[in-house]
Amino acid sequence: MFPISIHNKGSTNQKVKNYLRKDLKQNIYCNFNRLLQVNRNKLPFAAAQIGQVFRNEIYPKSVLRVREFTSTEIICFFNPNRDMHPRMDQVKHVMVPLLTRENQTMSLPPMDFSIEDVLNQQFVNSPIQAYYIAKVKLFMDLCGVLPNAIRFRQHLSHEMSFSTTDHWSCELKSSLGWIEVVDIVNNYCYDLKCHSSQSRHVLVAFETFDQPLTSENIVMEVEHEKLGKILRKNKRVVLNFLETLTNNKKLELQQELESNGKFSIYIPQLDRQVELSSDFISFQKRITKIYGYKYEPCAVETTFHIGRLIYSLLEQCFWVRKGNYLHEKMSQKYVLSLPTIIAPYMVVLISQISNRASSFEGMSKTLTQLFTRNGITFRVDNSANQTIGKKYSRADEIGVPFAVTIDNQSVECNTVTIRERDSCDQVRLPLDELVPTLLDLIHGNKSWEEVSLK
């Protein structure tokens, strides 16, 4: 942990040693009872938090070893007797590349398995943990991670902490090697148990049965005041011993009380016989209804290292487009192929008409209003004395997936041109079809090939 010194209140010379947090999960564990109440006392449920964390790195370097970074923690609490996610059917066919402990010891590459096969072959201890592995894989696909540059590695036994029962990491391939960007850890009940024991606050959940269960017990009824006068300081010892007796033995003692009015029993702690009468004690049958039971929830922690993730994504999405120019620098155009879900802008608005022309200003205003009304993030490249190719290149470098171009034909025919970033293909569309087409492309309802063939 990262140590810091804080001046003690009321003293100018004395300093108190403190530590910056190394993770975010403890805030979630401490507020478990409130989170459970918000979720109407039902499990499973998940809580997430994002913030800065600190590590005492002796030699910080690159993006792998830093002293301060942004992290996101998602903790899913669940009943250990019901270790199954209600939405498991939605992800059971997701294919994930797994590098198990056995494959690592034999130097074998990762192998693709569906989540259903992962559970059937028991590669993962917890179905909840397998569910979050699948969700991380789907998230990485949305972010544009290359299929051959991702794997889920199971930590070896000596790599796991003492409180962990199973630990998987999502790793992305980069120029620095395989980078660990997401941790999916099954910590069982360790953290809640520790917080409960140290804070003396009960951090448990209650499972309600569909139908109450009935239980027959033998209850001991005691006249404490009368019995205390006879047994005095030995009263508690005798009662504790009688509570440990089986129901059959208690019934035998009750029958003896009914027939003789008293019974005698040997107490090992006192090493003597104790005689009790029906005036002091009796054993009665009681039928009780059990509506549920208390249990300590288990937790699966999913931690995203945001800095490492962004670095790996930028490196995988960056490439150079070769041109036909004679000059070497002009022939290399940089492209950042970010998916629309993480692109800084979805659309760039470019004009081939003079920016001062009234026709451009009118159509540009109309398009910006349409984009704003439909939630399409955009930027307007109204730079003067720049070629259309230079404007396209600037948009490609920051990862804008689509460019909308206004030209002379746009003013005459009320049409615009859409350009796709990676292929550089262009399609001319009527103005009233622009927004629906862009929304279909952004949300994945249509591919660019379908739009270009229209």
Side-chain angles (χ1 to χ4, degrees):
M1 297 179 68
F2 198 99
I4 59 172
S5 297
I6 301 177
H7 285 284
N8 190 12
K9 186 177 181 180
S11 175
T12 57
N13 298 324
Q14 187 179 3
K15 292 184 178 181
V16 179
K17 193 172 185 179
N18 286 270
Y19 296 89
L20 299 176
R21 61 184 181 183
K22 66 181 184 67
D23 53 45
L24 303 172
K25 62 184 180 180
Q26 304 309 326
N27 292 338
I28 299 176
Y29 283 119
C30 292
N31 289 282
F32 170 75
N33 284 338
R34 294 180 180 178
L35 296 171
L36 182 63
Q37 184 180 6
V38 169
N39 204 57
R40 296 182 298 173
N41 298 321
K42 293 182 179 180
L43 271 74
F45 73 86
Q49 184 177 357
I50 185 170
Q52 298 295 111
V53 294
F54 306 87
R55 302 288 170 84
N56 189 14
E57 295 290 347
I58 299 175
Y59 183 60
K61 56 181 180 179
S62 71
V63 296
L64 303 181
R65 293 286 180 262
V66 292
R67 289 174 176 167
E68 179 183 357
F69 57 92
T70 305
S71 177
T72 300
E73 195 92 33
I74 304 173
I75 302 181
C76 180
F77 298 97
F78 62 95
N79 186 344
N81 300 323
R82 296 176 178 267
D83 189 0
M84 183 59 68
H85 201 280
R87 293 191 291 272
M88 181 63 75
D89 291 339
Q90 299 178 7
V91 300
K92 65 180 181 180
H93 298 302
V94 176
M95 301 298 294
V96 291
L98 296 186
L99 185 61
T100 61
R101 293 193 185 104
E102 291 75 13
N103 287 6
Q104 294 178 64
T105 54
M106 294 186 292
S107 300
L108 295 177
M111 300 180 65
D112 291 335
F113 295 94
S114 67
I115 293 299
E116 190 173 20
D117 293 337
V118 168
L119 294 176
N120 292 336
Q121 300 185 36
Q122 297 183 349
F123 289 139
V124 180
N125 294 339
S126 168
I128 299 285
Q129 191 175 16
Y131 172 83
Y132 277 93
I133 290 176
K135 296 297 286 186
V136 170
K137 177 60 168 63
L138 293 175
F139 175 74
M140 293 299 172
D141 292 341
L142 285 176
C143 291
V145 174
L146 301 177
N148 59 346
I150 182 175
R151 71 182 184 185
F152 289 84
R153 187 179 71 88
Q154 187 178 26
H155 284 218
L156 301 176
S157 56
H158 68 272
E159 295 178 315
M160 297 192 301
S161 64
F162 62 92
S163 62
T164 302
T165 59
D166 198 10
H167 188 163
W168 289 81
S169 292
C170 175
E171 298 179 343
L172 301 183
K173 192 174 183 180
S174 69
S175 59
L176 300 176
W178 287 96
I179 299 179
E180 181 181 308
V181 297
V182 185
D183 291 310
I184 305 106
V185 184
N186 185 359
N187 271 348
Y188 200 60
C189 309
Y190 178 80
D191 289 88
L192 281 181
K193 282 184 178 179
C194 291
H195 281 290
S196 183
S197 61
Q198 296 298 322
S199 65
R200 298 182 181 179
H201 286 278
V202 180
L203 301 177
V204 297
F206 186 81
E207 178 75 16
T208 303
F209 297 135
D210 296 334
Q211 295 293 334
L213 303 179
T214 57
S215 176
E216 184 178 274
N217 296 315
I218 306 300
V219 179
M220 184 171 59
E221 296 183 352
V222 182
E223 294 290 341
H224 290 277
E225 186 175 353
K226 295 180 181 179
L227 190 63
K229 293 179 180 179
I230 297 176
L231 298 178
R232 298 184 181 277
K233 64 180 182 180
N234 296 326
K235 170 189 167 184
R236 180 49 53 192
V237 176
V238 174
L239 292 179
N240 288 341
F241 176 76
L242 293 177
E243 288 286 356
T244 62
L245 298 177
T246 62
N247 288 340
N248 292 334
K249 182 62 176 177
K250 291 178 181 178
L251 289 176
E252 292 177 6
L253 295 177
Q254 179 61 26
Q255 291 175 0
E256 191 172 349
L257 284 173
E258 293 174 355
S259 59
N260 301 328
K262 62 181 180 180
F263 68 85
S264 179
I265 188 170
Y266 176 75
I267 307 298
Q269 291 84 350
L270 303 178
D271 195 21
R272 64 183 177 88
Q273 292 282 339
V274 174
E275 187 177 276
L276 299 174
S277 67
S278 57
D279 296 333
F280 306 137
I281 194 170
S282 64
F283 299 93
Q284 303 295 333
K285 287 185 179 181
R286 292 286 187 271
I287 297 178
T288 58
K289 287 187 176 182
I290 303 175
Y291 294 92
Y293 64 96
K294 292 182 179 181
Y295 63 93
E296 293 177 327
C298 294
V300 169
E301 304 168 0
T302 306
T303 306
F304 290 80
H305 306 284
I306 304 300
R308 295 182 178 185
L309 177 58
I310 292 177
Y311 173 83
S312 301
L313 289 176
L314 292 177
E315 186 173 308
Q316 290 189 17
C317 294
F318 176 81
W319 56 286
V320 179
R321 178 185 290 126
K322 297 295 182 179
N324 297 323
Y325 300 98
L326 297 177
H327 198 282
E328 183 178 357
K329 291 185 178 180
M330 293 179 63
S331 65
Q332 293 184 352
K333 294 187 177 182
Y334 305 118
V335 183
L336 195 60
S337 297
L338 296 174
T340 56
I341 192 174
I342 59 174
Y345 302 99
M346 299 177 186
V347 175
V348 59
L349 184 58
I350 299 175
S351 173
Q352 286 185 322
I353 312 173
S354 174
N355 295 336
R356 297 180 181 179
S358 59
S359 56
F360 166 74
E361 292 180 356
M363 183 163 283
S364 176
K365 184 177 180 180
T366 302
L367 290 177
T368 55
Q369 289 176 351
L370 286 174
F371 293 157
T372 304
R373 193 180 303 122
N374 290 275
I376 301 175
T377 57
F378 67 95
R379 69 187 298 261
V380 180
D381 190 346
N382 53 7
S383 55
N385 302 324
Q386 294 289 338
T387 63
I388 188 69
K390 182 64 176 178
K391 294 180 180 180
Y392 284 149
S393 181
R394 277 203 297 253
D396 294 343
E397 288 178 356
I398 62 173
V400 183
F402 304 107
V404 175
T405 307
I406 303 173
D407 53 17
N408 293 324
Q409 188 177 351
S410 301
V411 178
E412 297 173 0
C413 304
N414 205 28
T415 59
V416 291
T417 301
I418 302 179
R419 174 187 179 271
E420 200 268 336
R421 175 194 57 208
D422 296 338
S423 64
C424 297
D425 293 337
Q426 299 184 16
V427 175
R428 182 169 290 275
L429 291 174
L431 192 60
D432 56 351
E433 295 182 11
L434 174 62
V435 171
T437 302
L438 285 175
L439 291 176
D440 287 338
L441 290 170
I442 291 168
H443 297 147
N445 298 328
K446 287 184 180 180
S447 64
W448 177 252
E449 288 75 16
E450 294 175 340
V451 173
S452 59
L453 294 175
K454 186 177 177 180

